[in-house]
Amino acid sequence: APTGLRDPGSRSPQPLAEAVAAETARQQYDLVVGGLPPQDRVAFAERLLQPADNHLMLVPAPRPVPTRVLVCVAAGEPAKENVLFTGRLIRHVRAEATLLTVLPEGRTEQAVEQTDRFLSASRRTLALLGVPARTLIRTGDVLDQVRREVDAGGHEMVVMGAPLAEGNGKAGLIGVTGGLMDLTGDRPILITRSRFVVYQR
């Protein structure tokens, strides 16, 4: 499927959210790319996610093509789809990925082993796509641990998952996903969509 809005020369007199809604109603897209304002990021992203099931990349400011990408995942079916799409995208720019999962305090040994197996499988998936990857398991508050890794890891893009629109047509970014959007600074954000995604609160 196409991965943008028609072609680089297309123009619309409508505001961006309305133009995206009209275009995605006309044709299916894998990915929509848009600018990201410095304020009201969550509400802006929700408006662009609402019309269809596409993935969304938001770029706050002009930057070099990312070579180091942080992929925030929770072990499970949603992240399998999200890792696969991310790999398909970033292999074209020869970027490397860091797969990060944050477990709560008091996690069980079983939870750690399950997460380790999931991350190992995800790393193999990326390897098949030609994307080098490493994995990290952290413990504690999700937003705090992601912020620390974003600051310390030299990551140039952050990937997070979000669910498809609900039955009422609303695409809400609550909990962890919404919180992460304010931690990325001027880095591009890739929001991947999966029909399996369950909100984290």
Side-chain angles (χ1 to χ4, degrees), residues 9-10 38 41 47 69 71 78-79 101 115 121 123 133-134 137 155 180-182 184 193 199:
S10 63
R41 290 182 164 194
R47 289 196 297 272
V69 177
V71 187
T101 296
T115 300
R123 185 173 56 197
R134 67 186 185 110
I137 299 176
H155 304 290
L180 288 178
M181 295 193 66
D182 292 325
T184 57
R193 318 286 295 283
Y199 280 120

Side-chain angles (χ1 to χ4, degrees), residues 3-198:
T3 55
L5 290 181
R6 251 184 237 180
D7 61 70
S10 63
R11 296 288 186 271
S12 172
Q14 299 172 295
L16 180 59
E18 286 77 5
V20 168
E23 181 65 20
T24 53
R26 187 188 71 84
Q27 184 171 338
Q28 183 177 0
Y29 291 85
D30 289 338
L31 177 66
V32 169
V33 180
L36 182 63
Q39 285 87 34
D40 300 321
R41 290 182 164 194
V42 172
F44 179 80
E46 287 176 341
R47 289 196 297 272
L48 295 186
L49 289 169
Q50 185 170 318
D53 297 341
N54 52 265
H55 308 288
L56 176 64
M57 180 181 288
L58 297 170
V59 184
R63 291 181 62 93
V65 174
T67 59
R68 295 174 59 87
V69 177
L70 179 64
V71 187
C72 305
V73 294
E77 290 299 323
K80 291 180 182 179
E81 292 188 25
N82 298 339
V83 167
L84 181 60
F85 180 81
T86 300
R88 287 170 50 207
L89 179 65
I90 69 174
R91 66 178 174 177
H92 295 295
V93 296
R94 300 181 179 179
E96 61 183 54
T98 296
L99 299 166
L100 171 65
T101 296
V102 181
L103 298 177
E105 297 284 358
R107 82 282 185 214
T108 65
E109 183 177 339
Q110 180 181 7
V112 175
E113 292 175 353
Q114 179 183 3
T115 300
D116 186 61
R117 288 195 300 271
F118 170 80
L119 291 175
S120 296
S122 298
R123 185 173 56 197
R124 290 193 294 271
T125 295
L126 292 177
L128 291 173
L129 294 171
V131 176
R134 67 186 185 110
T135 63
L136 291 174
I137 299 176
R138 298 279 175 79
T139 301
D141 177 76
V142 176
L143 295 181
D144 180 59
Q145 292 299 323
V146 171
R147 177 186 57 78
R148 293 187 183 194
E149 180 58 31
V150 166
D151 291 341
H155 304 290
E156 298 157 335
M157 185 170 81
V158 179
V159 181
M160 59 194 78
L164 304 181
E166 300 174 359
N168 59 8
K170 300 294 184 182
L173 297 178
I174 60 176
V176 171
T177 301
L180 288 178
M181 295 193 66
D182 292 325
L183 301 180
T184 57
D186 62 351
R187 298 170 181 83
I189 300 168
L190 173 62
I191 301 175
T192 54
R193 318 286 295 283
S194 169
R195 64 185 182 276
F196 294 108
V197 169
V198 177

